[in-house]
Amino acid sequence: MIEIERILAPNPGPLTLTGTNTWVVGRDPAWVVDPGPVIDAHLDAVAAAVAERGGAGGIALTHRHADHSEGVDALRERLGGTVALGSFDNVLEGHTFGPFDVLYIPGHADDHLVFVAGSAAFTGDTVLGQGSVFVSGRLREYLDGLRRLRALELELILPGHGDPVTDPAAKLDQYLAHRADRERKLLAALASGASTEDELLDAAWDDAPPEVRQFAAISMRTHMEKLREEGLAP
């Protein structure tokens, strides 16, 4: 398997878990997945790792949420200023960027890409090392993306937050089952007469901690949009 190093940004939180994972991939040249936030010590460590591996081939950006992308320009300056950037703006589904095959999987963000190198997938916020992600829209496409990842012969998922996943098939099955369970609870709540957002959240996202309830609400709206598209919800 291709050589991979994780450099963890010191930005822990309810959504970032232990921090944002920046991945340095390969050697002669090395490729960076998700520079992370603008934290000088973090970006210095990433640049040093790239230099030790023979210099930069490019930077792959899963999506433009600040905890993944804010450090792009500062890292490019450290790496020489002209390092290629592969993102939704210039890399398409089915294309390659350096050692990566590119998959477009919206859901968490409309511009979300997953980069696959051999049997390893760098999933950003499509799949996390622990817990689930909040889906901001396009749930049907997100679920289809999870199934496409499941069909690959992956040995490792390298997420944007949390530890590497060493059993990708089990993790992806868990993610799909989790969304199906949320939908089941939501349909049951609607059938019982729940109608307000708070009522639906209390019924279907009763395990969401208070600090992430606003993001659970975003996911719930996305589930409701899918159910309306399928004629299953008012």
Coordinates of all heavy atoms in Angstrom, one line a residue, residues 46-86:
V46 N 3.2 19.9 8.2 CA 2.8 19.3 6.9 C 3.9 19.6 5.9 O 4.3 18.7 5.2 CB 1.5 19.9 6.5 CG1 1.1 19.4 5.1 CG2 0.4 19.5 7.5
A47 N 4.4 20.9 5.8 CA 5.4 21.2 4.8 C 6.7 20.4 5.1 O 7.4 20.0 4.1 CB 5.7 22.7 4.9
A48 N 7.1 20.2 6.3 CA 8.3 19.5 6.7 C 8.1 18.0 6.3 O 9.1 17.4 5.7 CB 8.6 19.6 8.2
A49 N 6.9 17.5 6.5 CA 6.7 16.1 6.1 C 6.8 15.9 4.5 O 7.4 14.9 4.0 CB 5.4 15.6 6.6
V50 N 6.3 16.9 3.8 CA 6.3 16.9 2.4 C 7.8 17.0 1.9 O 8.2 16.2 1.0 CB 5.4 18.0 1.8 CG1 5.7 18.1 0.3 CG2 4.0 17.7 2.0
A51 N 8.5 17.9 2.5 CA 9.9 18.0 2.1 C 10.7 16.8 2.4 O 11.6 16.4 1.5 CB 10.5 19.2 2.9
E52 N 10.5 16.1 3.5 CA 11.2 14.9 3.8 C 10.9 13.8 2.8 O 11.7 12.9 2.6 CB 10.8 14.5 5.3 CG 11.6 13.3 5.8 CD 11.0 12.0 5.4 OE1 9.8 11.8 5.2 OE2 11.9 11.0 5.3
R53 N 9.7 13.9 2.2 CA 9.3 12.8 1.2 C 9.6 13.2 -0.2 O 9.1 12.6 -1.1 CB 7.8 12.6 1.4 CG 7.4 11.9 2.7 CD 5.9 12.0 2.9 NE 5.6 11.2 4.1 CZ 5.0 10.0 4.1 NH1 4.8 9.4 3.0 NH2 4.7 9.4 5.2
G54 N 10.4 14.2 -0.4 CA 10.9 14.5 -1.8 C 10.2 15.6 -2.5 O 10.4 15.8 -3.7
G55 N 9.4 16.4 -1.7 CA 8.7 17.5 -2.4 C 7.3 17.2 -2.7 O 6.8 16.1 -2.6
A56 N 6.5 18.3 -3.1 CA 5.1 18.2 -3.3 C 4.7 17.9 -4.7 O 5.2 18.5 -5.7 CB 4.4 19.5 -2.8
G57 N 3.8 16.9 -4.9 CA 3.1 16.7 -6.1 C 1.9 17.6 -6.3 O 1.6 18.1 -7.4
G58 N 1.1 17.7 -5.2 CA -0.1 18.5 -5.3 C -0.9 18.4 -4.0 O -0.5 17.7 -3.1
I59 N -1.9 19.2 -3.9 CA -2.8 19.2 -2.8 C -4.2 18.8 -3.2 O -4.8 19.4 -4.2 CB -2.9 20.6 -2.1 CG1 -1.5 21.0 -1.6 CG2 -3.9 20.6 -1.0 CD1 -1.5 22.5 -1.2
A60 N -4.8 17.8 -2.6 CA -6.1 17.3 -2.9 C -7.1 17.8 -1.8 O -6.8 17.6 -0.6 CB -6.2 15.8 -2.9
L61 N -8.1 18.5 -2.2 CA -9.1 19.1 -1.2 C -10.4 18.4 -1.3 O -11.1 18.4 -2.4 CB -9.2 20.6 -1.6 CG -10.0 21.4 -0.6 CD1 -9.4 21.4 0.8 CD2 -10.2 22.8 -1.1
T62 N -10.9 17.8 -0.2 CA -12.1 17.0 -0.3 C -13.3 18.0 -0.4 O -14.3 17.7 -1.1 CB -12.3 16.1 0.9 OG1 -12.3 16.9 2.1 CG2 -11.2 15.1 1.0
H63 N -13.3 19.1 0.3 CA -14.4 20.1 0.2 C -13.9 21.4 0.9 O -12.8 21.4 1.5 CB -15.6 19.6 0.9 CG -15.6 19.3 2.3 ND1 -14.7 18.4 2.9 CD2 -16.3 19.8 3.4 CE1 -14.9 18.3 4.2 NE2 -15.8 19.2 4.5
R64 N -14.7 22.5 0.8 CA -14.2 23.8 1.1 C -14.6 24.3 2.5 O -14.6 25.5 2.8 CB -14.5 24.8 0.1 CG -13.7 24.6 -1.2 CD -13.4 26.0 -1.9 NE -12.5 25.8 -3.0 CZ -11.2 26.1 -3.0 NH1 -10.6 26.5 -1.8 NH2 -10.4 25.9 -4.0
H65 N -15.1 23.4 3.4 CA -15.3 23.8 4.7 C -14.0 24.2 5.4 O -13.0 23.6 5.1 CB -16.0 22.7 5.5 CG -17.4 22.5 5.2 ND1 -18.2 21.4 5.7 CD2 -18.3 23.2 4.4 CE1 -19.4 21.5 5.2 NE2 -19.5 22.5 4.4
A66 N -14.0 25.3 6.2 CA -12.8 25.9 6.6 C -11.9 25.0 7.4 O -10.7 25.1 7.3 CB -13.1 27.1 7.5
D67 N -12.4 24.0 8.1 CA -11.6 23.2 8.9 C -10.7 22.2 8.0 O -9.8 21.6 8.5 CB -12.4 22.4 9.9 CG -13.5 21.5 9.3 OD1 -14.2 22.1 8.5 OD2 -13.7 20.4 9.8
H68 N -11.1 22.1 6.7 CA -10.3 21.3 5.8 C -9.5 22.2 4.8 O -8.4 21.8 4.4 CB -11.2 20.4 5.0 CG -11.9 19.4 5.8 ND1 -11.5 18.1 5.9 CD2 -13.0 19.5 6.7 CE1 -12.3 17.4 6.7 NE2 -13.2 18.3 7.2
S69 N -10.0 23.4 4.5 CA -9.5 24.1 3.3 C -8.8 25.4 3.7 O -8.1 26.0 2.9 CB -10.6 24.4 2.4 OG -11.5 25.4 2.9
E70 N -9.0 25.9 4.9 CA -8.5 27.3 5.2 C -7.0 27.4 5.0 O -6.5 28.5 4.6 CB -8.9 27.6 6.7 CG -8.6 29.0 7.1 CD -8.9 29.3 8.5 OE1 -8.4 28.5 9.4 OE2 -9.6 30.2 8.8
G71 N -6.3 26.4 5.2 CA -4.8 26.5 5.1 C -4.2 26.3 3.7 O -3.0 26.2 3.5
V72 N -5.1 26.1 2.7 CA -4.6 25.8 1.3 C -3.6 26.9 0.9 O -2.5 26.5 0.5 CB -5.8 25.8 0.3 CG1 -5.3 25.8 -1.1 CG2 -6.6 24.5 0.5
D73 N -3.9 28.1 0.9 CA -3.0 29.1 0.3 C -1.7 29.2 1.2 O -0.6 29.3 0.6 CB -3.7 30.5 0.3 CG -4.8 30.6 -0.7 OD1 -4.8 29.7 -1.6 OD2 -5.7 31.5 -0.6
A74 N -1.8 29.2 2.5 CA -0.6 29.2 3.3 C 0.3 28.0 3.1 O 1.5 28.2 3.1 CB -1.0 29.4 4.8
L75 N -0.3 26.9 2.9 CA 0.5 25.7 2.6 C 1.1 25.8 1.3 O 2.3 25.4 1.1 CB -0.3 24.4 2.7 CG 0.4 23.1 2.5 CD1 1.6 22.9 3.5 CD2 -0.5 21.9 2.6
R76 N 0.4 26.2 0.3 CA 1.0 26.4 -1.1 C 2.2 27.3 -1.0 O 3.2 27.1 -1.7 CB 0.0 26.9 -2.1 CG -1.1 25.9 -2.4 CD -2.2 26.4 -3.3 NE -1.8 26.2 -4.7 CZ -2.5 26.5 -5.7 NH1 -3.7 27.2 -5.5 NH2 -2.1 26.3 -7.0
E77 N 2.1 28.4 -0.3 CA 3.3 29.3 -0.1 C 4.5 28.6 0.5 O 5.6 28.7 0.0 CB 2.9 30.5 0.8 CG 1.9 31.4 0.1 CD 1.5 32.6 1.0 OE1 2.1 32.7 2.1 OE2 0.6 33.4 0.7
R78 N 4.2 27.7 1.5 CA 5.3 27.0 2.1 C 5.9 26.0 1.2 O 7.1 25.6 1.3 CB 4.8 26.3 3.4 CG 4.5 27.2 4.6 CD 3.7 26.5 5.6 NE 3.7 27.1 6.9 CZ 3.0 28.2 7.2 NH1 2.1 28.7 6.3 NH2 3.0 28.7 8.4
L79 N 5.1 25.5 0.2 CA 5.6 24.4 -0.7 C 6.1 25.0 -2.0 O 6.4 24.2 -2.9 CB 4.4 23.4 -1.0 CG 3.9 22.7 0.3 CD1 2.8 21.8 -0.1 CD2 5.0 21.9 0.9
G80 N 6.1 26.3 -2.1 CA 6.6 26.9 -3.4 C 5.7 27.7 -4.2 O 6.1 28.4 -5.1
G81 N 4.4 27.8 -3.8 CA 3.5 28.7 -4.4 C 2.7 28.2 -5.6 O 1.7 28.7 -5.9
T82 N 3.3 27.3 -6.4 CA 2.7 26.9 -7.6 C 2.2 25.4 -7.6 O 2.0 24.8 -8.6 CB 3.6 27.1 -8.8 OG1 4.8 26.3 -8.5 CG2 4.0 28.5 -9.0
V83 N 2.1 24.9 -6.4 CA 1.7 23.5 -6.2 C 0.3 23.3 -6.7 O -0.6 24.1 -6.4 CB 1.8 23.1 -4.8 CG1 1.3 21.6 -4.6 CG2 3.2 23.2 -4.3
A84 N 0.0 22.2 -7.5 CA -1.3 22.0 -8.1 C -2.3 21.7 -7.0 O -2.0 21.1 -6.0 CB -1.2 20.8 -9.0
L85 N -3.5 22.2 -7.2 CA -4.6 22.0 -6.3 C -5.7 21.2 -7.0 O -6.2 21.7 -8.1 CB -5.1 23.3 -5.8 CG -6.4 23.3 -4.8 CD1 -6.1 22.5 -3.6 CD2 -6.9 24.7 -4.6
G86 N -6.1 20.1 -6.5 CA -7.2 19.3 -7.0 C -8.4 19.5 -6.1 O -8.4 19.0 -5.0

